[in-house]
Amino acid sequence: MFGATGGLNDSPACKLCCEAAIALKIPVFVPNLYPFYSVPDGFCEVAPAAGDELEILSDGAELRATADRTVDILSFAGDFIFPTPPKVGRRTRLSLSGLVLDGRGVPEQWSETDYGILRRVGAVNSSAEHFEMRHCKIRNFYGHGVRAIGTQSSTIEHCSAENVGGHWYAYDTYDAFGDAFYHAYAQDGAEIRIQHSPMTGYPEKYSRAGCVFEFSSARYEAIIEDSPIVGYERSVHVEEQGSKISLRIHRSHMSRTRVGLFILGDEMSDARVELVDTYIDYADGDYGGQSLVSNQSSAALAIERVAMRATKQPFLARFGPRTTLRDCIIDWNGLPGAIELSSISAVRTTFRGIRANGSAHTSRVALRAIECRFEGDPGALFLDSADGANWVAENSFSSGPVVRANIGPEWRGQYGTLPIRAPIDPLARSVAAES
């Protein structure tokens, strides 16, 4: 590798190697010969031209950012300036396999209030149209793990992110840094896959987000599968304007979070998000006054075989319009809070642990509950449709006189005479996975 020896600074040799590999159209192999390669100025810093491809392979070699300054270990983005969308149709490709990326040279800076002097370290910054990352480990990055911008296809498989994230708490925490896997400006028809790739933030701290999808107005597909997310304020963050994203989240449990699924955006009536076979547990606190799920968009949201539980008060779960709940458990865990059920359909879903000052309410449109269970304090679940909305309950029952209502003339449930049955077993972490 052009003289890289695992010494104090292998950055110059590694960068020359990457530039030569692109010119010769051959892969770079990083041999696992030393405890680590020291790359204080990064391993790769390429401004890709049209048609450029770079493949980096390894048998487990570690690339370590050893200097306390802002740097990306692998930069394949050139003069791209975020958040300006990159050019499309350039046929660029970045492929990574078998690497260990460590950013420990930059320390955690949770209490820093001046964004201008923060040092942020990233594992990968890519504007390649086609991005692949397999069997890689990313750890100790106070900044970000992967940033993939303007992709036509992106695959992250059998990777891991550990101690990856961070958060700037001083002013604008919304669009700063602190994500494990971040995608923005996906192209029309793009496919993004994150599979078998767990994400873990810093212990006892909340990083910004585990997976992020934003700034795209295109029609594209994304999947998060078998990828647990732990220690992020928002486990999955979707922020689009006019996007037609189809996002599927399967068997990707979320814990030590505040909002498991956060969706924000305008003109998203063609967007769809599925959350299946997952639990959202240890929702400790809130983000913007909301917890568990926050859907502030017109996207269709389908939640199936999902168990979710709040652990710190207060909380407001906001499912938003066009939501279906099927075979789910939503657990207040005996905490005061509320759940906004505007225009949703709930089938075989249990609402449990409701305290007397908990509430559920609709706005303008109806909730339909079919074969659902309500468990909690007497009168705790307040169904408020004073604005003319309708509540419909069919074949539902409660463990006692849980429900009180301010309802319109179209109420067709059995309020006041709901059959009383014994509560179900306590919520277990395996409920969703074993259903």
Side-chain angles (χ1 to χ4, degrees), residues 238-245 263-273 295-300 322:
V238 181
E239 181 186 354
E240 306 278 32
Q241 300 295 324
S243 169
K244 302 171 182 64
I245 183 176
I263 309 172
L264 177 67
D266 298 323
E267 300 179 7
M268 292 182 63
S269 59
D270 290 331
R272 178 177 174 83
V273 179
N295 180 14
Q296 302 177 55
S297 77
S298 57
R322 302 178 64 212

Side-chain angles (χ1 to χ4, degrees), residues 14-94:
C14 294
K15 289 181 178 182
L16 285 173
C17 185
C18 292
E19 292 169 4
I22 293 173
L24 297 173
K25 301 186 182 303
I26 60 175
V28 174
F29 180 74
V30 186
N32 188 8
L33 299 177
Y34 310 103
F36 60 89
Y37 293 88
S38 176
V39 287
D41 298 308
F43 179 91
C44 169
E45 188 175 7
V46 173
D52 277 353
E53 299 185 6
L54 176 60
E55 182 178 14
I56 304 175
L57 310 172
S58 182
D59 55 352
E62 178 179 321
L63 310 180
R64 182 180 296 183
T66 51
D68 186 4
R69 56 176 174 265
T70 296
V71 68
D72 290 310
I73 289 185
L74 295 167
S75 178
F76 193 77
D79 57 359
F80 163 72
I81 300 175
F82 184 82
T84 304
K87 296 179 181 179
V88 300
R90 292 165 57 84
R91 306 179 312 282
T92 51
R93 181 181 299 273
L94 176 62

Side-chain angles (χ1 to χ4, degrees), residues 119-417:
R119 288 91 63 210
R120 301 170 302 283
V121 60
V124 180
N125 186 33
S126 170
S127 62
E129 284 196 327
H130 302 281
F131 174 74
E132 300 174 356
M133 187 174 191
R134 293 182 169 89
H135 301 287
C136 291
K137 297 179 180 179
I138 303 172
R139 61 195 185 200
N140 305 318
F141 282 88
Y142 191 84
H144 65 265
V146 173
R147 274 194 168 181
I149 314 296
T151 56
Q152 182 65 45
S153 66
S154 176
T155 299
I156 300 174
E157 288 183 342
H158 299 285
C159 295
S160 64
E162 183 178 359
N163 286 355
V164 174
H167 210 315
W168 180 42
Y169 283 91
Y171 304 107
D172 179 10
T173 62
Y174 203 69
D175 285 312
F177 66 95
D179 311 320
F181 300 140
Y182 177 97
H183 288 82
Y185 294 111
Q187 296 184 29
D188 195 53
E191 295 183 2
I192 299 171
R193 307 180 73 85
I194 301 170
Q195 297 174 298
H196 306 284
S197 297
M199 293 150 268
T200 306
Y202 285 91
E204 301 180 1
K205 299 285 188 181
Y206 283 100
S207 294
R208 194 183 89 112
C211 281
V212 178
F213 305 91
E214 62 182 12
F215 296 127
S216 177
S217 59
R219 184 182 298 276
Y220 69 101
E221 296 185 0
I223 184 169
I224 304 169
E225 190 172 72
D226 298 304
S227 299
I229 307 173
V230 181
Y232 294 90
E233 194 171 63
R234 286 145 286 164
S235 294
V236 178
H237 175 117
V238 181
E239 181 186 354
E240 306 278 32
Q241 300 295 324
S243 169
K244 302 171 182 64
I245 183 176
S246 174
L247 170 62
R248 293 173 289 159
I249 306 169
H250 291 183
R251 299 183 301 277
S252 296
H253 304 323
M254 306 169 189
S255 58
R256 198 160 62 80
T257 187
R258 287 178 170 161
V259 176
L261 175 61
F262 181 88
I263 309 172
L264 177 67
D266 298 323
E267 300 179 7
M268 292 182 63
S269 59
D270 290 331
R272 178 177 174 83
V273 179
E274 297 179 8
L275 183 64
V276 180
D277 291 327
T278 293
Y279 67 76
I280 303 174
D281 197 15
Y282 190 9
D284 185 3
D286 66 273
Y287 174 75
Q290 297 172 58
S291 185
L292 295 176
V293 171
S294 176
N295 180 14
Q296 302 177 55
S297 77
S298 57
L301 175 58
I303 303 177
E304 185 170 351
R305 297 188 301 278
V306 171
M308 57 184 75
R309 173 173 56 182
T311 59
K312 187 175 181 179
Q313 61 183 348
F315 77 92
L316 167 65
R318 174 175 290 173
F319 293 99
R322 302 178 64 212
T323 296
T324 59
L325 297 167
R326 187 178 295 272
D327 299 303
C328 295
I329 296 176
I330 301 173
D331 193 357
W332 268 259
N333 200 25
L335 300 172
I339 181 169
E340 185 174 287
L341 301 173
S342 300
S343 188
I344 78 167
S345 173
V347 180
R348 294 185 301 275
T349 290
T350 296
F351 302 87
R352 59 172 294 139
I354 311 168
R355 289 188 61 180
N357 57 345
S359 65
H361 58 91
T362 65
S363 176
R364 292 178 298 280
V365 283
L367 171 133
R368 183 180 182 88
I370 302 173
E371 298 180 26
C372 292
R373 311 173 70 136
F374 302 93
E375 302 176 7
D377 294 345
L381 186 62
F382 180 55
L383 309 183
D384 181 6
S385 58
D387 57 3
N390 300 322
W391 287 76
V392 177
E394 298 178 358
N395 300 319
S396 298
F397 58 87
S398 70
S399 60
V402 178
V403 180
R404 59 192 174 97
N406 176 19
I407 53 181
E410 297 301 317
W411 170 257
R412 294 195 289 109
Q414 301 176 22
Y415 169 65
T417 60

